[in-house]
Amino acid sequence: DAGVTQSPTHLIKTRGQQVTLRCSPKSGHDTVSWYQQALGQGPQFIFQYYEEEERQRGNFPDRFSGHQFPNYSSELNVNALLLGDSALYLCASTGKEETQYFGPGTRLLVL
Amino acid sequence: GENVEQHPSTLSVQEGDSAVIKCTYSDSASNYFPWYKQELGKRPQLIIDIRSNVGEKKDQRIAVTLNKTAKHFSLHITETQPEDSAVYFCAASMGSNTGKLIFGQGTTLQVKP
C-alpha cells in the first residue's frame, strides 16, 4: 500500500520563474491538501482539493494555484517566484477517516 | 483570527522522564486536534489525534488531553526514550471542517540518554 508521494524532492529556481510540484495521494484517499513549511516553523495551509475543485484556501496570494486530476493526484503551481517562497512544500492526503497523512515534501530554493 | 499557540519551543528531559507540550487554539468551532512528530529532514508523522467529543485519549506512552472550555490541549509522553527526540507540532482544525489545519510553531524535544 503506497503512501503519499511527492516529486521532485528538491528544486532550485530563480526569482520570477514558475514552478510545478506534484503529489500522489495514499491509496484510497480522495482529498489532497498543500502546506508550506518555512525553516523552523509549523506547516501553513495553502489549499485543499476534493473532487477536482479547490474546497478551502489559506492566506496565500493568487500566485499559488493548484489542480486535482481524476485519479486524485494533485499539482501545486507557484508563479512569479519570490525569495520568500523558499520552503518545504508538503502535501497531505485524506480519506474517509479525515486524518491527514503527509508526503515527504519538495524542498524549493529560490535564488 | 486563526491561531494555535504552542509551548514550550524547546524541551530537554532525561531518558525515562515525562514530557508535556501544551497548545491553545482560538477558534471555538475547532473539533479535531492532531499531533505530529517530525524528525530532521523527514515528513510530519501523525502520532495521536483527538476529537472534541473526547476529553482524553491514550496510546501506549503517549496521551492527549483536551479542555474545550479553556480551548487548550496537551501532549503527554511518559518514559521518554532517545528516539522520541524530534520536533512535535500540535494542530487544530478550523471550524467544523477538519480539512484546514492550523499548526503550532513546534516544540523541539531532546531526550538525553
Side-chain angles (χ1 to χ4, degrees):
Chain A
D1 180 20
V4 182
T5 60
Q6 291 185 244
S7 63
T9 55
H10 296 83
L11 205 49
I12 300 176
K13 292 286 187 179
T14 55
R15 281 177 296 176
Q17 286 190 310
Q18 178 265 342
V19 69
T20 297
L21 311 181
R22 296 175 177 83
C23 172
S24 290
K26 187 177 167 69
S27 178
H29 286 186
D30 57 7
T31 303
V32 173
S33 302
W34 286 93
Y35 292 83
Q36 180 194 68
Q37 186 177 25
L39 201 60
Q41 304 291 318
Q44 281 197 297
F45 180 84
I46 302 174
F47 43 52
Q48 183 183 76
Y49 277 84
Y50 172 71
E51 292 188 341
E52 302 180 49
E53 289 191 357
E54 183 182 291
R55 186 161 71 170
Q56 287 197 90
R57 190 177 182 92
N59 190 25
F60 278 81
D62 292 344
R63 296 187 298 110
F64 290 77
S65 64
H67 188 78
Q68 186 178 34
F69 299 94
N71 67 353
Y72 309 120
S73 66
S74 177
E75 288 182 348
L76 164 65
N77 301 292
V78 187
N79 294 323
L81 284 166
L82 304 174
L83 296 180
D85 294 331
S86 296
L88 178 67
Y89 288 85
L90 295 161
C91 82
S93 75
T94 311
K96 291 179 181 176
E97 76 281 9
E98 296 186 288
T99 301
Q100 295 192 21
Y101 295 91
F102 283 89
T106 293
R107 191 163 296 280
L108 173 65
L109 178 62
V110 182
L111 300 176
Chain B
E2 303 169 342
N3 192 39
V4 174
E5 295 283 340
Q6 183 172 346
H7 298 282
S9 56
T10 60
L11 181 57
S12 182
V13 299
Q14 266 327 110
E15 182 177 0
D17 286 351
S18 294
V20 180
I21 303 170
K22 299 181 179 182
C23 291
T24 58
Y25 60 98
S26 60
D27 187 351
S28 57
S30 295
N31 64 358
Y32 175 63
F33 308 90
W35 286 87
Y36 287 87
K37 174 185 179 182
Q38 188 174 30
E39 297 177 27
L40 192 63
K42 296 193 175 181
R43 73 186 77 190
Q45 290 199 306
L46 180 76
I47 56 171
I48 196 167
D49 57 10
I50 192 168
R51 286 179 166 78
S52 59
N53 58 347
V54 176
E56 184 174 357
K57 184 177 178 180
K58 190 174 181 180
D59 182 4
Q60 299 184 334
R61 298 185 297 109
I62 294 173
V64 58
T65 58
L66 171 64
N67 182 331
K68 283 207 72 181
T69 303
K71 290 190 276 187
H72 171 276
F73 58 115
S74 300
L75 177 72
H76 304 253
I77 305 174
T78 58
E79 301 171 21
T80 53
Q81 301 165 3
E83 51 265 38
D84 293 331
S85 297
V87 180
Y88 290 81
F89 292 99
C90 63
S93 64
M94 282 301 107
S96 57
N97 185 328
T98 59
K100 180 178 180 179
L101 295 179
I102 302 299
F103 282 80
Q105 292 300 299
T107 296
T108 300
L109 174 63
Q110 181 186 30
V111 180
K112 298 178 182 176

